């Protein structure tokens, strides 16, 4: 069973601050995705990383996949109130037709 | 932009009743999934479906659950005899490729909230 632990669970910051969310596991993943979920809606895919050490940028968001493909981080620069939401990491393992979701990080950006 | 559509958005049922949750995946997608999220908990995998058969299922997906693609467009999740602990948000998702490819894009629906009384 692959488990993905995210930290922190909750994060409340002021607009303009930077933050990093971590996603850790003892398992190796073939790929790792980051999703954002708004209340009452389904998760929306932000990015997929597939190569150990890979870094992807999406405007103010930077995603990194660990060298050993067991962990990932999401860094947000100059957070805005529109970034508020639940951030979920999810891993896929070759040969398994599913993704396993992390425990989630609830982000609140205060104007 | 293509989307996954789920109905109903909210269903309230009595314990022991049968429930069918419906999903219309994106039209050119080949892989279909059901996930659930109990309030305040993480998103959990239930089942994946490809080529008219289940390709993978979790321990949660016991004999009370079944899935069907009855007409080439709908993808349904049936719970035969609902229990209180089945109360959750149920999400349908679809993708063009198998998840092992590493380049998958999973598109989720907005979810169906099931409340079992």
């Amino acid at each position: 069973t692959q488990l993905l632990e995210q930290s922190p669970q909750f994060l409340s910051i002021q607009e303009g601050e930077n933050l990093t969310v971590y996603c850790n596991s003892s398992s190796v993943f073939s790929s790792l995705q980051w999703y954002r979920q708004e209340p009452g809606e389904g998760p929306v895919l932000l990015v997929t990383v597939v190569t150990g050490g890979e870094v992807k940028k999406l405007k103010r968001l930077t995603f990194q996949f660990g060298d050993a493909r067991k962990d990932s981080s999401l860094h947000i620069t100059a957070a805005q109130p529109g970034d508020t939401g639940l951030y979920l990491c999810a891993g896929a393992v070759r040969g398994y037709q599913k993704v396993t979701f992390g425990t989630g990080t609830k982000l609140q950006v205060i104007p | 932009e293509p989307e996954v559509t789920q109905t109903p958005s909210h269903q309230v049922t009595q314990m022991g009743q049968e429930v069918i949750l419906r999903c219309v995946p994106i039209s050119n997608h080949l892989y279909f999934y059901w996930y659930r999220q109990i309030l305040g908990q993480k998103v959990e995998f239930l089942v994946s479906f490809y080529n008219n058969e289940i390709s993978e299922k979790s321990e949660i997906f016991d004999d009370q659950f079944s899935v069907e693609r009855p007409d080439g467009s709908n993808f349904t999740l049936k719970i035969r005899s609902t229990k209180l602990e089945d109360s959750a948000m149920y999400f349908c998702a679809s993708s063009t490729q198998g998840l092992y490819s590493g380049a998958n894009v999973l598109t989720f629906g907005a979810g169906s909230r099931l409340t079992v009384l």
Side-chain angles (χ1 to χ4, degrees), chain B residues 8-117:
Chain B
S9 56
H10 189 190
Q11 180 154 359
V12 181
T13 191
Q14 294 291 324
M15 190 169 59
Q17 294 296 303
E18 177 183 282
V19 161
I20 297 177
L21 304 178
R22 291 182 168 79
C23 169
V24 179
I26 294 173
S27 59
N28 64 337
H29 285 190
L30 302 176
Y31 297 80
F32 314 111
Y33 313 84
W34 283 101
Y35 284 79
R36 79 171 185 190
Q37 187 175 33
I38 295 171
L39 188 63
Q41 297 186 24
K42 67 177 190 176
V43 178
E44 300 174 292
F45 169 76
L46 292 178
V47 66
S48 57
F49 191 85
Y50 169 70
N51 201 26
N52 281 322
E53 60 182 29
I54 290 173
S55 45
E56 187 142 7
K57 61 182 181 179
S58 71
E59 292 174 353
I60 302 167
F61 195 88
D62 61 22
D63 292 344
Q64 292 300 310
F65 291 87
S66 62
V67 289
E68 197 177 31
R69 187 155 161 82
D71 56 14
S73 64
N74 290 285
F75 179 51
T76 63
L77 174 69
K78 183 193 291 187
I79 308 174
R80 286 191 185 80
S81 178
T82 50
K83 303 189 280 279
L84 295 176
E85 54 264 38
D86 292 329
S87 294
M89 195 76 155
Y90 288 80
F91 292 106
C92 174
S94 67
S95 64
T96 53
Q97 305 178 44
L99 296 182
Y100 54 81
S101 72
N104 60 288
V105 177
L106 261 185
T107 303
F108 282 83
S112 292
R113 181 172 298 284
L114 176 64
T115 302
V116 182
L117 302 176

Side-chain angles (χ1 to χ4, degrees), chain A residues 71-84:
Chain A
D71 54 84
S72 181
S73 64
L74 157 60
H75 182 78
I76 301 179
T77 304
Q80 298 177 1
D83 295 328
T84 294

Side-chain angles (χ1 to χ4, degrees), chain A residues 13 36-39 76 79-87 106-111:
Chain A
I13 61 170
R36 184 168 150 222
Q37 185 180 20
E38 302 278 1
I76 301 179
Q80 298 177 1
D83 295 328
T84 294
L86 178 67
Y87 288 83
K106 198 165 186 178
L107 171 65
Q108 181 187 36
V109 181
I110 302 165

Side-chain angles (χ1 to χ4, degrees), chain A residues 27-28 42 53 62 65 99 108:
Chain A
S27 302
V28 176
T62 302
F65 201 10
V99 291
Q108 181 187 36

